[in-house]
Amino acid sequence: MTRAILRTLAILAALAVTLIPILWMVSMAFKPPSEWQAAGEALTWVPRAPTLDNFRYLFGQGGSDLIATLDRTAVKPILSSLLSASVGTLIAMTCGTAAAYGLSRFGSGANLPLALIQLRLFPPMAVMIPVMMMWAFLGLMDTWFGLALVYGIVTLPFAFWLMKTFFDDMPKEIEEAALVEGCTRWRVFTRVTLPMMAAPLAAASLFVFILNWSDYLIALLLTTREWVTIPVYMASLSSSMTGQLYGAKAALGLIAAVPPVVLGVLIQKHLVRGLTFGALKQ
């Protein structure tokens, strides 16, 4: 009994530590400036006068007189994050899955795993300086596609290593049976292997998407104004009159949390199986 109580208390404590920042963000998103500035007043968990002004403010529909007018709304940063993160995830998963399958099934390129992981060993600033020079020469600076291309390259090692583990755990006999029946290698891959990898693909795609969606450094260096992403735009939310716009930042953070949560809900039936694929073997 004592052990069960201690376990329950530990779970509740971990849950509280995890949820407190989220609950505070939700609370701050619906507070008017007079409350999140807390001039001479104690901050409260529950807004005394809930309002949607912070969300309206982000989309250029005005706000309190205490907040300066935005020079750009949050519409394009949200679109930039969606495009760059989605296309970057597609690039990483397509290339990573193909490379992982080839190495897992044919065993060629023994040094490929190490070569790919080296992309993550270099300090980001050391890598981004030559990338910025190349992107400026190619005209890809401050474009969502240029950002997506870098995202695909940077997250490729994660996609490759995750998918290689999944392919290694999949029995080769299933594919060999399809080959005996007359299927080509490409048909086996598209009609047999990939459908069986639906759960691992979903789990790996969600992980890679979250990495791209939450990036700040790469977007800060490769975008200037037109195609800044949500993290970069959030850092610019400040006013000379009130300082940091905590309410607007909390509202934008709440909006930014929606795509990963929605994606996780849509693939939840595959998520647990994908994360535990190959964990139990006979």
Side-chain angles (χ1 to χ4, degrees):
M1 179 65 69
T2 304
R3 186 175 181 180
I5 294 175
L6 292 176
R7 182 185 304 169
T8 302
L9 292 175
I11 293 174
L12 291 176
L15 187 63
V17 171
T18 304
L19 291 181
I20 283 176
I22 299 175
L23 294 176
W24 184 254
M25 179 182 69
V26 174
S27 173
M28 189 68 71
F30 295 97
K31 288 181 178 180
S34 58
E35 292 189 33
W36 46 261
Q37 289 179 29
E41 298 182 9
L43 293 174
T44 58
W45 276 96
V46 180
R48 292 186 291 271
T51 179
L52 295 175
D53 282 352
N54 293 318
F55 295 92
R56 297 191 186 102
Y57 176 71
L58 290 173
F59 294 99
Q61 298 180 10
S64 170
D65 295 335
L66 299 176
I67 306 179
T69 303
L70 278 176
D71 61 344
R72 51 180 173 172
T73 67
V75 175
K76 202 163 186 179
I78 294 174
L79 178 62
S80 176
S81 289
L82 285 173
L83 287 174
S84 58
S86 300
V87 176
T89 301
L90 180 62
I91 294 173
M93 290 305 302
T94 301
C95 298
T97 300
Y101 180 77
L103 189 62
S104 176
R105 289 297 181 262
F106 305 109
S108 58
N111 296 324
L112 180 60
L114 180 60
L116 285 176
I117 203 63
Q118 285 178 347
L119 291 173
R120 303 297 302 181
L121 297 180
F122 291 100
M125 287 302 299
V127 177
M128 289 309 301
I129 291 175
V131 170
M132 291 175 62
M133 297 175 63
M134 288 189 294
W135 259 227
F137 176 77
L138 296 173
L140 294 177
M141 287 290 291
D142 203 17
T143 63
W144 69 265
F145 180 74
L147 191 58
L149 190 58
V150 175
Y151 282 165
I153 296 172
V154 170
T155 54
L156 175 60
F158 293 107
F160 169 80
W161 279 95
L162 286 172
M163 293 310 301
K164 183 179 183 303
T165 302
F166 296 140
F167 283 128
D168 289 342
D169 290 332
M170 179 181 173
K172 297 181 181 180
E173 290 77 12
I174 299 176
E175 297 177 343
E176 293 172 353
L179 290 172
V180 170
E181 294 295 328
C183 290
T184 62
R185 175 60 70 174
W186 174 252
R187 190 176 181 87
V188 169
F189 178 67
T190 56
R191 296 297 183 88
V192 178
T193 306
L194 285 184
M196 293 185 65
M197 288 287 109
L201 276 171
S205 298
L206 179 60
F207 177 69
V208 172
F209 178 82
I210 291 175
L211 289 176
N212 293 332
W213 180 259
S214 59
D215 168 73
Y216 175 75
L217 178 61
I218 296 176
L220 178 65
L221 296 176
L222 296 183
T223 59
T224 55
R225 178 177 177 83
E226 290 299 322
W227 290 99
V228 297
T229 58
I230 290 177
V232 177
Y233 178 77
M234 185 182 296
S236 68
L237 290 176
S238 62
S239 169
S240 58
M241 296 183 294
T242 60
Q244 297 295 324
L245 304 179
Y246 296 111
K249 288 187 175 184
L252 185 57
L254 199 58
I255 295 173
V258 171
V261 171
V262 171
L263 185 59
V265 170
L266 292 176
I267 67 172
Q268 62 178 337
K269 64 179 182 179
H270 300 297
L271 197 55
V272 175
R273 181 173 180 269
L275 293 175
T276 58
F277 189 87
L280 300 177
K281 297 183 179 179
Q282 298 294 335

